[in-house]
C-alpha cells in the first residue's frame, strides 16, 4: 500500500529535482495554490450520476499547469495509536469510488499568476450500487510552468522545485439507503488532577454501510449538578468495518470535589443516533 499523509485540506508537498534553468530564489519560492471546496458529499438516488466543480486559485508569481489523479481513503493509526485518514491506491478498498471519477474539464489547464481556474468532474456509480457510502480523493497537482531567460535557455542546471498536491475529499452516498451505526468498543477516562489534564480516549467500530463522522460534546457537573465545564470531543472518521480511535484532552483545572461527566457521541455528519455515557469521578488535592 502506498501511504501519503493528507495534510490540512490535503496539501502534500512533493519536492522534485529537475533539470531546469536557475531562477531568482524569490520567484522560485513563490508557489501558492488553494482550492475550494475541499470536500464534496454527493448524495444521489441509486445509479444517478453526480458531478462537482473545484475552483483553483493561483496565488503565486508563476503560472501553474494542473493535472489530476485519484486515490482511495483509508483509516490508519499513527504512532500514538490515534486514527488518521490517509490515501491508498485507487480501487484497493471496499468502499472506494475512485475509479468512478472522471475529469471532464480542467485537466492540463494552465493558470497564470494571480488568476483562477477550475476542474469539473463527474462520478458515475456502477448500476449494481444500490446502497451505502463510498469515498475517494481527487488530487490536483499544480506544476509550475517553465520560464527561461534568454541567457539561460541552453544551460540546464539541477534545481529543486516545489509542486503542491492538493487532495479534495469526494464522498458518494446512495440517497435513502444510508445506515450510520456503530459501537464504542472501548472508553478510557482519566480524570483531571492537580498536575494532569482530563483525558478521554475512545474506540469506535463502524457497523453501518457508510462513512460515520463520530463527534460530540462533554459536560462536567459538580455535586450540586451545576455545570462547571464543557467542550467538544475530537472527531474520528470511519468507513464500514473500520475502527477509529481518538483522544480528547481538557486542560482546565477543577477544585477538589466530586463530579460527573456526560459524554455525548453523535454519529454524523447528519446525526440520527447518539451514544451517551455518564461517568463519576473525584478530584483530590
Amino acid at each position: 500500500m502506498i501511504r501519503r499523509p493528507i495534510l490540512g485540506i490535503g496539501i502534500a508537498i512533493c519536492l522534485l529535482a529537475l533539470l531546469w534553468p536557475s531562477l531568482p530564489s524569490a520567484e522560485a519560492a513563490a508557489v501558492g495554490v488553494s482550492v475550494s471546496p475541499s470536500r464534496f458529499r454527493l448524495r444521489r438516488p441509486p445509479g444517478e450520476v453526480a458531478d462537482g466543480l473545484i475552483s483553483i486559485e493561483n496565488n503565486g508569481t508563476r503560472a501553474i499547469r494542473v493535472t489530476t489523479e485519484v486515490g482511495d481513503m483509508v483509516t490508519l493509526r499513527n504512532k500514538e495509536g490515534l486514527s488518521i485518514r490517509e490515501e491508498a491506491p485507487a480501487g484497493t478498498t471496499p468502499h472506494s469510488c475512485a475509479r468512478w471519477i472522471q475529469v471532464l474539464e480542467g485537466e492540463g489547464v494552465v493558470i497564470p499568476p494571480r488568476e483562477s481556474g477550475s476542474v469539473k468532474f463527474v462520478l458515475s456509480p456502477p448500476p449494481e450500487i444500490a446502497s451505502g457510502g463510498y469515498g475517494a480523493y481527487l488530487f490536483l497537482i499544480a506544476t509550475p510552468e517553465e520560464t527561461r531567460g534568454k541567457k539561460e535557455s541552453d544551460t540546464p542546471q539541477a534545481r529543486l522545485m516545489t509542486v503542491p498536491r492538493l487532495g479534495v475529499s469526494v464522498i458518494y452516498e446512495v440517497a435513502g439507503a444510508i445506515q450510520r451505526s456503530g459501537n464504542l468498543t472501548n472508553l478510557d477516562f482519566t480524570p483531571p488532577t492537580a498536575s494532569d489534564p482530563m483525558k478521554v480516549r475512545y474506540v469506535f467500530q463502524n457497523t453501518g454501510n457508510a462513512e460515520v463522522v463520530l463527534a460530540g460534546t462533554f459536560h462536567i457537573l459538580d455535586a450540586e449538578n451545576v455545570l462547571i465545564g464543557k467542550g467538544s470531543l475530537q472527531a474520528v472518521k470511519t468507513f464500514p468495518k473500520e475502527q477509529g480511535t481518538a483522544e480528547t484532552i481538557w486542560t482546565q483545572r477543577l477544585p477538589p470535589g466530586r463530579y460527573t461527566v456526560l459524554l455525548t457521541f453523535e454519529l454524523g455528519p447528519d446525526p440520527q443516533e447518539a451514544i451517551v455515557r455518564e461517568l463519576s469521578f473525584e478530584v483530590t488535592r
Side-chain angles (χ1 to χ4, degrees), residues 2-16 31-35 56 64-72 86-90 137-144 161-168:
I2 299 174
R3 293 173 55 184
R4 300 172 181 168
I6 309 302
L7 305 176
I9 64 169
I11 301 178
I13 301 299
C14 307
L15 297 180
L16 306 177
V31 178
V33 184
S34 60
V35 300
I56 309 166
I64 56 171
R65 182 178 297 273
V66 179
T67 55
T68 63
E69 63 183 31
V70 293
D72 282 4
E86 290 197 1
E87 69 165 301
Y137 287 116
L138 174 56
F139 289 101
L140 307 179
I141 304 166
T143 304
M161 182 178 66
T162 302
V163 180
R165 182 174 181 265
L166 299 90
V168 175

Side-chain angles (χ1 to χ4, degrees), residues 9 41 46 56 109 114-115 129 204 212 237 249 263 280:
I9 64 169
R41 188 171 297 275
I56 309 166
V109 67
R114 310 300 181 185
E115 294 189 17
I129 299 299
F204 177 77
V212 171
K237 301 175 182 179
I249 298 177
L263 305 170
S280 298

Side-chain angles (χ1 to χ4, degrees), residues 7-64:
L7 305 176
I9 64 169
I11 301 178
I13 301 299
C14 307
L15 297 180
L16 306 177
L18 300 179
L19 290 177
W20 202 310
S22 297
L23 293 173
S25 58
E27 181 180 358
V31 178
V33 184
S34 60
V35 300
S36 178
S38 62
R39 184 177 179 88
F40 288 86
R41 188 171 297 275
L42 307 171
R43 190 169 298 171
R44 299 291 187 275
E48 185 171 308
V49 171
D51 59 20
L53 185 68
I54 305 169
S55 297
I56 309 166
E57 295 284 343
N58 181 1
N59 303 311
T61 58
R62 298 179 58 185
I64 56 171

Side-chain angles (χ1 to χ4, degrees), residues 92-266:
T92 59
T93 61
H95 51 265
S96 171
C97 65
R99 299 197 182 279
W100 308 349
I101 297 174
Q102 179 184 4
V103 173
L104 299 181
E105 300 173 7
E107 180 73 35
V109 67
V110 175
I111 304 177
R114 310 300 181 185
E115 294 189 17
S116 61
S118 63
V119 167
K120 183 178 182 179
F121 69 92
V122 63
L123 190 152
S124 305
E128 65 270 17
I129 299 299
S131 63
Y134 306 85
Y137 287 116
L138 174 56
F139 289 101
L140 307 179
I141 304 166
T143 304
E145 283 287 272
E146 178 181 359
T147 57
R148 295 177 179 269
K150 293 182 179 179
K151 295 182 180 180
E152 300 171 326
S153 59
D154 297 323
T155 311
Q157 299 180 19
R159 63 182 294 271
L160 207 59
M161 182 178 66
T162 302
V163 180
R165 182 174 181 265
L166 299 90
V168 175
S169 301
V170 181
I171 305 294
Y172 180 87
E173 296 181 337
V174 181
I178 294 297
Q179 179 186 3
R180 303 195 202 279
S181 61
N183 303 296
L184 284 179
T185 60
N186 192 58
L187 176 63
D188 290 329
F189 176 73
T190 303
T193 65
S195 57
D196 296 316
M198 181 187 81
K199 294 182 180 180
V200 187
R201 191 181 181 101
Y202 33 96
V203 181
F204 177 77
Q205 178 70 50
N206 187 331
T207 61
N209 67 359
E211 182 192 43
V212 171
V213 181
L214 186 75
T217 58
F218 66 87
H219 294 79
I220 300 175
L221 309 176
D222 66 10
E224 304 298 325
N225 285 329
V226 176
L227 181 65
I228 299 299
K230 62 181 180 178
S232 298
L233 294 169
Q234 180 67 40
V236 59
K237 301 175 182 179
T238 57
F239 279 103
K241 299 183 179 180
E242 287 186 340
Q243 191 175 80
T245 303
E247 183 178 75
T248 296
I249 298 177
W250 190 63
T251 58
Q252 297 185 35
R253 298 291 185 259
L254 294 175
R258 294 183 177 275
Y259 298 90
T260 299
V261 58
L262 300 175
L263 305 170
T264 304
F265 299 88
E266 294 183 335

